[in-house]
Amino acid sequence: MGYLICNKCKSYYKLQHGESAKDFAHKCNCSGKLRYVENLDIIDPRWKQVSLRKKPAKKEILKNKIFSFPADIKNRLNQFYYKNIGRHIYNAQHRMHRSPPGMHAGFINSILNELNFHNIWWILVVPSTIAITLILTFTSGIFTLIPFLILVIIGYLSENMITGTKNAVITGAVSFFLGSLFTGSFLYIILYLILGIINGGVCGLIGGYIKTRRLTY
């Protein structure tokens, strides 16, 4: 069966029945290099006998990789978010010393706290979405400016700038998506969706800002 010996820590391991040197790592517990010998005639009798752990089987290695994959992806996404987004948001929060009315130091936190489906004025969002979708589907020319006016009104009628922007973004995203769908612009659905989000965000902010300015005076 043979032995695995380590010259660094002066130790050896006796291979058991069915075991092979390939079942073990090339390094000892002390990080020394293991060497296979048929017998112990070449070593000092004072060397100590130790126990060694076998290398994990290929199936076990594959299993560990599969189970650790989601956690690895999560860590990578967290790192990507902090490096490309979170760090900039954090810096922006500490640079916001002077801001226009309604854009106080906690403005960014207020936006982050609204990343949910609470405070949505469905009684305002649903009719507005239907109206904008119909306008985008059946009209052209100057009438296409009406959706932007509706989004501004949503931002103005909401209780505050953040809520107004949130409702306008949802309205813009859904209506522009449905408008592109009903007009057969399937290749541009994602582009229209992004355009609806941007227009909703900008128009909602404008409407909320106008309301804030009016209440200030």
Side-chain angles (χ1 to χ4, degrees):
M1 290 180 284
Y3 301 84
L4 292 174
I5 64 173
C6 175
N7 291 318
K8 183 177 180 180
C9 64
K10 310 299 182 183
S11 64
Y12 69 91
Y13 173 78
K14 181 179 180 180
L15 295 173
Q16 305 300 314
H17 180 72
E19 292 182 341
S20 168
K22 296 180 180 180
D23 298 333
F24 299 86
H26 298 295
K27 289 187 176 181
C28 175
N29 298 331
C30 70
S31 73
K33 186 177 181 180
L34 291 173
R35 184 161 61 96
Y36 173 79
V37 295
E38 290 288 344
N39 54 67
L40 297 179
D41 295 341
I42 62 172
I43 70 171
D44 192 309
R46 290 174 296 182
W47 281 26
K48 60 182 179 179
Q49 184 175 359
V50 296
S51 298
L52 295 177
R53 295 181 59 184
K54 292 184 178 181
K55 294 189 299 184
K58 292 183 179 180
K59 289 184 178 180
E60 185 177 350
I61 294 175
L62 180 60
K63 180 180 178 181
N64 291 335
K65 287 184 177 180
I66 292 175
F67 280 101
S68 63
F69 182 74
D72 183 57
I73 291 296
K74 180 180 179 181
N75 291 333
R76 289 179 182 273
L77 289 175
N78 287 336
Q79 293 174 4
F80 176 82
Y81 172 81
Y82 175 76
K83 183 178 179 181
N84 297 279
I85 302 175
R87 179 165 52 89
H88 300 293
I89 293 177
Y90 177 82
N91 293 334
Q93 286 181 288
H94 290 75
R95 287 198 301 265
M96 294 178 67
H97 299 299
R98 296 184 63 185
S99 306
M103 302 281 283
H104 47 80
F107 183 70
I108 299 297
N109 283 333
S110 299
I111 294 177
L112 296 178
N113 291 333
E114 288 296 330
L115 295 179
N116 51 58
F117 287 99
H118 302 304
N119 299 328
I120 298 177
W121 290 26
W122 296 109
I123 194 172
L124 183 63
V125 170
V126 173
S128 301
T129 300
I130 295 174
I132 294 176
T133 301
L134 292 175
I135 293 171
L136 294 176
T137 305
F138 298 106
T139 63
S140 59
I142 194 171
F143 291 102
T144 55
L145 297 177
I146 297 178
F148 301 100
L149 179 60
I150 294 176
L151 293 173
V152 171
I153 294 174
I154 291 175
Y156 182 84
L157 293 178
S158 299
E159 57 183 2
N160 56 59
M161 185 183 294
I162 303 300
T163 304
T165 303
K166 177 180 179 178
N167 284 274
V169 166
I170 294 175
T171 303
V174 176
S175 57
F176 274 68
F177 176 83
L178 293 177
S180 64
L181 193 65
F182 292 152
T183 55
S185 305
F186 302 108
L187 296 178
Y188 302 101
I189 286 180
I190 301 300
L191 181 61
Y192 273 98
L193 176 63
I194 296 174
L195 188 63
I197 293 173
I198 295 174
N199 288 332
V202 173
C203 293
L205 278 174
I206 293 174
Y209 179 73
I210 293 173
K211 181 177 182 178
T212 303
R213 293 283 295 182
R214 185 177 178 182
L215 293 175
T216 302
Y217 294 106

